[in-house]
Amino acid sequence: MYFIYSFALTIGFLILLPRFLWDAARKGKYAAGFWQRFGRLPEFDAEGKPIIWLHAVSVGETNAAKPLVKEILKNFPDYKLVVSTTTKTGQTLAREIFKNEAALVFYFPFDWSFVVRRALKKINPSVVLIMETELWFNFLREARKSEIKIALVNGRLSEKSFKNYKRIRGFVRRALANLDLALMSGERDAERLSELGCAAEKTFVTGNIKFDLETGKSELTETLRRRFAIDETRPLIVAASTHAPEERWILESYRVLCDKFPAKNAPRLLIAPRHPERFAEVDELMQNAGFRFARRSASTSVSDIDADLILLDSIGELRAVYELAEVVFVGGSLIPHGGQNMLEPAAAKKAIVTGFYTMNFADIIKTLSAKEAIVQLPKLEENEISVNLESIFYGLLSDNVKRKALSENAFAVLRENRGACAKTIEKLQLLFNKSA
């Protein structure tokens, strides 16, 4: 089965090779770290200490790892940390937020055995921690062969992924046997992993690390506040981690919303697309919307203070922006993508709105909904979406009591569910002692 898997991986790579080469010429996301993905990694100084290799796929996992990294370094000071990511955006963010904690930040290797062996030899980790559930079959097998301890942390297994893995359950069971620990974020995640064959003695529910987010304003928040003159006179709506065509629906709702307020009190709208490669597309859409427009990456201008629409075309700044908002819409939820992280705006104590499709965060949505801490749209036809969004935005902006209650409830949910990092460290203690 491993041969078939590696063969399929090779065929897929060859099919995508022209895209890699074309992307390399444009210095795009697929070509980023190309040789690192083949295990050709930079030199780094481990200072003679054993290595912890933490893998976070993209921006969401990288942000979630921040409080865990702090606790790892505090509890295991005799180790050096290295961090890998899969995506370019994750890499950019990891290099920024872990620049003082990680001895090396690099791209995760392609999952061929010979590439994995090269990367493992270069890093020589004692422990590998994989955020959420990245099951790279050859990587897990080669790490086990090298007697490296492996743990899933903040493990999450969506219904969609579970169904896909069930089709190859025997192969997945063999891969999961290579794990030493599976620390899952919720009961249902643990049940799904156990059903796929992960041993009960290895599987624990430690809670969702994303609830352990740091809170409080940053210097960047104040910088952005000053640049765009954001205040309560014109409340800010933030549309976060949006996907196509969500921006179009949001702009349609905003156009109607503005007509319901005096011009001097009309809300402002900041859109932060989920994927950087869409910045130019969303820029054009916003510029053609008929409102005053500003772009974060552009040079500071006096027109920034009057902009109705702001495009956040930067990496790693969204959390700072949440502090400026009155209402936050969390994207990837008006389409069957599965939603994005709702806990970061909760940490900023903001009123949160999301769409119907939130299956990737089902447990979090269930918890927030039970405490009346989020507004979720029902399943709608496309022609109904902008009308419903506008109605919700207007209701929240015109009712200070309701908006404040929603934001306070969201923050309370975050506070009540903290502690996953501590539980994770507790379970990792034995693993680290075994690797010493």
Side-chain angles (χ1 to χ4, degrees):
M1 191 65 184
Y2 278 98
F3 174 79
I4 296 172
Y5 167 71
S6 297
F7 180 75
L9 197 66
T10 302
I11 295 299
F13 177 79
L14 291 174
I15 291 172
L16 291 173
L17 185 57
R19 185 171 186 177
F20 275 115
L21 296 175
W22 179 76
D23 202 55
R26 299 169 61 249
K27 297 182 180 180
K29 68 171 185 175
Y30 295 105
F34 186 78
W35 292 113
Q36 287 190 23
R37 298 178 197 269
F38 272 99
R40 301 190 182 280
L41 304 176
E43 297 293 332
F44 68 100
D45 185 10
E47 300 177 357
K49 295 182 178 181
I51 300 293
I52 303 167
W53 177 345
L54 175 70
H55 177 56
V57 183
S58 191
V59 170
E61 294 81 6
T62 303
N63 266 325
K66 193 173 180 180
L68 179 62
V69 164
K70 182 178 178 180
E71 291 301 313
I72 286 172
L73 296 178
K74 174 183 172 183
N75 286 273
F76 309 111
D78 295 331
Y79 287 78
K80 272 287 184 180
L81 175 75
V82 300
V83 177
S84 65
T85 70
T86 301
T87 68
K88 183 179 180 181
T89 51
Q91 186 76 186
T92 301
L93 181 62
R95 291 187 180 190
E96 174 59 30
I97 67 176
F98 298 134
K99 60 187 176 184
N100 298 320
E101 288 85 5
L104 180 68
V105 177
F106 59 100
Y107 283 94
F108 194 76
F110 290 127
D111 201 34
W112 289 296
S113 293
F114 75 96
V115 174
V116 170
R117 284 195 294 268
R118 182 184 295 152
L120 289 172
K121 183 178 179 181
K122 183 70 176 183
I123 300 298
N124 190 27
S126 297
V127 177
V128 173
L129 305 178
I130 301 173
M131 288 291 293
E132 306 211 354
T133 309
E134 277 276 286
L135 298 181
W136 294 105
F137 302 119
N138 282 324
F139 182 88
L140 294 177
R141 184 171 70 159
E142 294 299 330
R144 168 60 68 189
K145 285 181 180 179
S146 299
E147 299 182 346
I148 297 164
K149 300 301 179 184
I150 316 164
L152 290 182
V153 293
N154 207 45
R156 185 166 63 92
L157 194 59
S158 68
E159 185 65 31
K160 181 180 178 180
S161 295
F162 175 60
K163 288 178 179 178
N164 289 335
Y165 283 136
K166 279 179 72 175
R167 296 190 180 104
I168 52 170
R169 184 181 302 184
F171 185 39
V172 172
R173 182 184 295 111
R174 289 171 63 189
L176 292 174
N178 294 313
L179 294 175
D180 293 278
L181 277 177
L183 307 181
M184 309 303 288
S185 61
E187 293 285 351
R188 189 69 189 104
D189 301 292
E191 290 170 3
R192 288 170 182 156
L193 201 70
S194 296
E195 193 172 335
L196 290 174
C198 193
E201 64 270 18
K202 297 180 181 180
T203 308
F204 301 91
V205 177
T206 49
N208 196 326
I209 289 171
K210 291 179 179 178
F211 282 107
D212 287 359
L213 282 168
E214 295 177 355
T215 58
K217 295 181 176 64
S218 68
E219 184 178 328
L220 178 59
T221 297
E222 297 309 312
T223 298
L224 293 169
R225 187 193 303 278
R226 289 192 297 269
R227 173 175 171 178
F228 296 104
I230 295 171
D231 58 30
E232 295 178 356
T233 304
R234 297 190 62 192
L236 180 69
I237 300 169
V238 170
S241 301
T242 56
H243 297 240
E246 290 179 324
E247 297 90 1
R248 176 169 57 82
W249 293 325
I250 291 164
L251 286 168
E252 288 172 359
S253 71
Y254 177 73
R255 185 174 289 107
V256 177
L257 181 66
C258 285
D259 290 338
K260 295 185 176 181
F261 290 85
K264 65 178 181 178
N265 301 121
R268 304 170 78 183
L269 172 65
L270 182 147
I271 298 180
R274 178 68 178 88
H275 298 113
E277 62 269 24
R278 296 191 59 247
F279 286 162
E281 171 194 340
V282 179
D283 179 304
E284 183 177 1
L285 189 67
M286 295 175 74
Q287 288 204 55
N288 293 333
F291 294 93
R292 292 169 294 189
F293 171 74
R295 183 169 178 161
R296 164 62 173 144
S297 65
S299 300
T300 302
S301 167
V302 292
S303 62
D304 290 344
I305 64 174
D306 295 319
D308 305 303
L309 303 178
I310 303 167
L311 173 62
L312 187 70
D313 55 342
S314 53
I315 305 298
E317 296 189 347
L318 189 52
R319 286 182 63 184
V321 167
Y322 286 142
E323 294 287 346
L324 304 173
E326 292 296 331
V327 176
V328 175
F329 168 78
V330 180
S333 59
L334 296 175
I335 57 172
H337 171 76
Q340 302 293 161
N341 186 5
M342 303 98 181
L343 295 180
E344 289 185 352
K349 202 178 288 188
K350 301 301 172 182
I352 307 166
V353 179
T354 193
F356 173 78
Y357 298 100
T358 54
M359 47 279 197
N360 290 344
F361 296 86
D363 289 342
I364 292 175
I365 277 288
K366 183 178 179 181
T367 303
L368 290 169
S369 297
K371 298 291 185 177
E372 298 183 353
I374 195 167
V375 176
Q376 183 173 23
L377 276 74
K379 190 174 183 179
L380 300 167
E381 298 297 327
E382 287 193 13
N383 61 357
E384 300 175 312
I385 291 175
S386 61
V387 174
N388 278 265
L389 274 177
E390 184 276 323
S391 176
I392 290 170
F393 290 155
Y394 180 74
L396 290 174
L397 291 177
S398 57
D399 189 337
N400 292 338
V401 174
K402 181 178 180 181
R403 188 175 70 252
K404 184 176 181 181
L406 198 67
S407 61
E408 292 284 355
N409 290 346
F411 187 76
V413 167
L414 188 82
R415 186 178 58 241
E416 291 165 8
N417 287 275
R418 288 182 181 275
C421 278
K423 293 176 184 176
T424 298
I425 293 296
E426 180 183 345
K427 293 298 181 184
L428 288 176
Q429 289 282 357
L430 181 59
L431 190 68
F432 277 75
N433 291 338
K434 285 182 179 179
S435 69

